């Protein structure tokens, strides 16, 4: 072990169990922030009725939070360097908590959307800051365990959010999904003030020129892209002038942003030079695809169960929940494993299991029972548990500590964008392929088709004995045949979308050769 490693180990030993207190301190506000990305989904209908708004209008309650959250995430490293990490973390938790109070007190949809923007600004910094603090607090050999702690929070939030939101909304009121954040947020501020301290390299340097153009362009391209991803399916994508203009704005602003950050800004708000690190660049691509696959599939799976198999919302939720539990069980085990072994082994297995699980979903049929839906979701949960921690460790362990805040900001932004784009892509792919299959199958529903004529004739004989008037038995039989055709086409649309997700996941396996094993494991 080198001198730096010895000094770090001695420092950790001196503070004893304080690293676990730090872990609890940073994960507490992060967990409620992650929960808040999905907690309002199930309460949206109650919010719409209470504030007298339409369905499309009320959807901005979700979109506004996601957009402001996504804009702040990549700026987190720069803001922490500029104002001091402890000061910025305290401000973020306070703003998130105060905005939660205002959200619960809103008397109109406009007020709620505005306060959700403030809540997203406060919450955006929490994930990258907590990840950076954990990686710096735990010694390199325990980075796996540190990321297990972070991963449990990141994976638990989307599971607990809808369940907690539904229970609170039904039991109390939709306003309490925001009010419950207040005591937790205030306690988190106390914990941060007591146990979080800025390292020496985080001290503010005076006289730095603010990257105004970088901040402006970042806000424009991330905000426009997030709105396109969130609203695209509802607006029929590029058939909508609104989506077309926003897409052009996002692309142009992104190109200008890259030019400004690489060649113009003296102190860039996002240091894109981090992508020169091969492991970091590769890890970001893999994480983008992994969350693309995860969120895309767990959006389609409950839809499949409800639209085609007649499941209730509760039963559809039960299909998803065991997969999340499997992730929570696997993560700590993987965290301990990679402290002693090469993280590439569980990462390779995790990617393969995720690809296999979505391929299994692509073979669903209309006769699938509960277990047929449950086990692929459990496989996906195991795969994400195997994947998340070693991938994060391999991606970030080679980043120098002074650049850790910037790196975790980029990493979390691409992870979130991967999930958002995966949801939109999967919904669009399913819808498009279902229409393609339906149009091809309808070609055979003509009076010249012998199979159709035979089926209608059989229906004309059987249906009158089941209470259908003989005069309309033929049309009723034809209607039922068409209904079954639509179900079959919809099933094949789902299957095609799952298949594309599985192929995309399998395609990242060769990238494993570009990831470098952490230096603390290869040293003698």
């Amino acid at each position: 072990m080198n001198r730096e490693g010895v000094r770090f180990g001695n420092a950790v030993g001196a503070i004893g169990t304080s690293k676990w207190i730090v872990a609890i301190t940073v994960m507490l506000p992060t967990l409620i922030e992650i929960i808040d990305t999905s907690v309002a989904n199930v309460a949206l209908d109650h919010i719409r009725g209470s504030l007298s708004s339409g369905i499309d209008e009320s959807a901005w309650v979700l979109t506004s939070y996601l957009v402001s959250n996504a804009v702040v995430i990549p700026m987190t490293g720069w803001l922490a360097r500029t104002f001091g990490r402890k000061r910025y973390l305290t401000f973020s938790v306070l703003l998130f908590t105060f905005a939660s109070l205002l959200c619960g007190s809103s008397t109109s949809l406009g007020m709620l959307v505005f306060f959700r923007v403030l809540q997203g600004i406060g919450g955006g910094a929490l994930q990258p800051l907590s990840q950076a603090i954990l990686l710096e607090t735990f010694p390199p050999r325990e980075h796996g365990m540190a990321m297990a702690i972070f991963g449990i929070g990141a994976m638990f939030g989307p599971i607990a959010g809808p369940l907690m939101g539904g229970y609170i909304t039904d039991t109390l009121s939709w306003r309490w999904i925001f009010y419950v954040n207040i005591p937790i947020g205030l306690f988190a501020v106390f914990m941060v003030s007591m146990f979080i301290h800025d390292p020496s390299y985080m001290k503010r340097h005076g006289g730095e020129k603010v990257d105004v153009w970088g901040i402006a362009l970042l806000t424009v391209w991330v905000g426009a892209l997030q709105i396109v991803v969130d609203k695209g399916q509802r607006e029929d994508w590029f058939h909508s002038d609104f989506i077309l203009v926003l897409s052009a704005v996002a692309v142009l602003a992104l190109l200008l942003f890259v030019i400004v950050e690489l060649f113009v800004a003296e102190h860039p708000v996002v240091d894109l030079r981090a992508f020169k690190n091969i492991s970091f660049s590769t890890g970001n691509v893999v994480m983008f695809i992994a969350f693309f696959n995860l969120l895309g599939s767990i959006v389609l799976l409950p839809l499949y169960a409800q639209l085609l198999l007649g499941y209730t919302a509760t039963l559809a939720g039960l299909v998803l929940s065991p997969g999340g539990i499997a992730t929570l069980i696997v993560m700590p085990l993987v965290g301990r494993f990679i402290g002693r072994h090469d993280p590439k082994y569980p990462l390779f297995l995790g990617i393969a299991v995720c690809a296999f699980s979505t391929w299994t979903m692509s073979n669903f049929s209309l006769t699938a029972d509960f277990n047929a839906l449950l086990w692929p979701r459990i496989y996906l949960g195991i795969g994400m548990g195997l994947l998340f921690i070693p991938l994060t460790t391999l991606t970030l362990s080679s980043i120098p500590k002074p650049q850790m805040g910037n790196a975790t900001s980029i990493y979390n932004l691409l992870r979130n964008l991967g999930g958002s784009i995966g949801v939109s892509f999967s919904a669009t792919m399913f819808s498009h392929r279902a229409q393609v299959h339906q149009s091809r199958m309808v070609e055979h529903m003509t009076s010249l088709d012998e199979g159709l004529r035979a089926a209608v004739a059989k229906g004309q004989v059987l249906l009158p004995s089941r209470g259908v008037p003989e005069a309309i038995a033929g049309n009723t039989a034809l209607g039922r045949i068409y209904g079954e055709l639509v179900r079959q086409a919809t099933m094949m649309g789902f299957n095609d979308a799952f298949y594309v997700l599985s192929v995309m996941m399998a395609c990242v396996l060769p990238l494993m050769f570009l990831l470098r094993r952490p230096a603390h494991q290869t040293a003698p």
Side-chain angles (χ1 to χ4, degrees), residues 102-338:
L102 296 176
C103 286
S105 306
S106 299
T107 56
S108 69
L109 183 67
M111 288 177 64
L112 179 57
V113 169
F114 176 72
F115 296 141
R116 283 283 279 176
V117 170
L118 292 182
Q119 194 184 35
I121 292 172
L126 299 180
Q127 290 189 55
L129 281 180
S130 66
Q131 199 168 32
I133 291 170
L134 284 171
L135 286 169
E136 293 176 10
T137 303
F138 283 72
R141 59 187 173 81
E142 294 181 6
H143 277 182
M145 186 54 65
M147 287 305 94
I149 297 168
F150 180 83
I152 288 172
M155 295 298 177
F156 179 74
I159 300 167
L163 295 174
M164 191 178 84
Y167 178 78
I168 291 174
T169 302
D170 290 338
T171 307
L172 299 170
S173 161
W174 65 266
R175 298 181 186 277
W176 280 93
I177 65 177
F178 301 112
Y179 289 151
V180 294
N181 294 334
I182 297 170
I184 301 173
L186 293 176
F187 180 67
V189 169
F190 168 76
M191 294 284 284
V192 169
S193 66
M194 292 293 294
F195 301 111
I196 302 299
H197 305 283
D198 285 347
S200 57
Y201 56 81
M202 290 295 294
K203 301 299 181 185
R204 183 179 178 181
H205 301 288
E208 284 191 5
K209 188 177 179 181
V210 177
D211 182 14
V212 176
W213 279 106
I215 294 172
L217 289 168
L218 174 67
T219 302
V220 170
W221 84 257
V222 173
L225 178 61
Q226 189 67 53
I227 293 173
V228 167
V229 167
D230 196 58
K231 295 285 187 181
Q233 176 69 8
R234 189 179 294 112
E235 299 287 339
D236 198 20
W237 291 105
F238 299 114
H239 294 287
S240 163
D241 291 340
F242 174 69
I243 295 298
L244 201 59
V245 170
L246 275 184
S247 300
V249 168
V251 172
L252 180 61
L254 174 59
L255 292 175
L256 292 174
F257 174 75
V258 172
I259 293 170
V260 167
E261 297 304 278
L262 287 178
F263 306 110
V264 178
E266 187 177 349
H267 300 286
V269 66
V270 179
D271 190 357
L272 299 178
R273 296 174 186 84
F275 285 107
K276 290 181 179 179
N277 184 311
I278 297 299
S279 287
F280 180 74
S281 300
T282 304
N284 274 281
V285 172
V286 177
M287 180 55 79
F288 181 92
I289 298 298
F291 265 71
F292 189 104
N293 175 280
L294 173 68
L295 294 191
S297 58
I298 65 175
V299 162
L300 292 180
L301 189 56
L303 280 176
Y304 189 98
Q306 290 174 283
L307 291 178
L308 297 179
L309 304 180
Y311 281 39
T312 63
T314 303
L315 276 176
L318 288 175
V319 171
L320 295 181
S321 298
I325 294 169
T327 302
L328 299 182
I329 292 172
V330 170
M331 273 187 171
L333 302 177
V334 175
R336 292 183 65 85
F337 176 86
I338 67 172

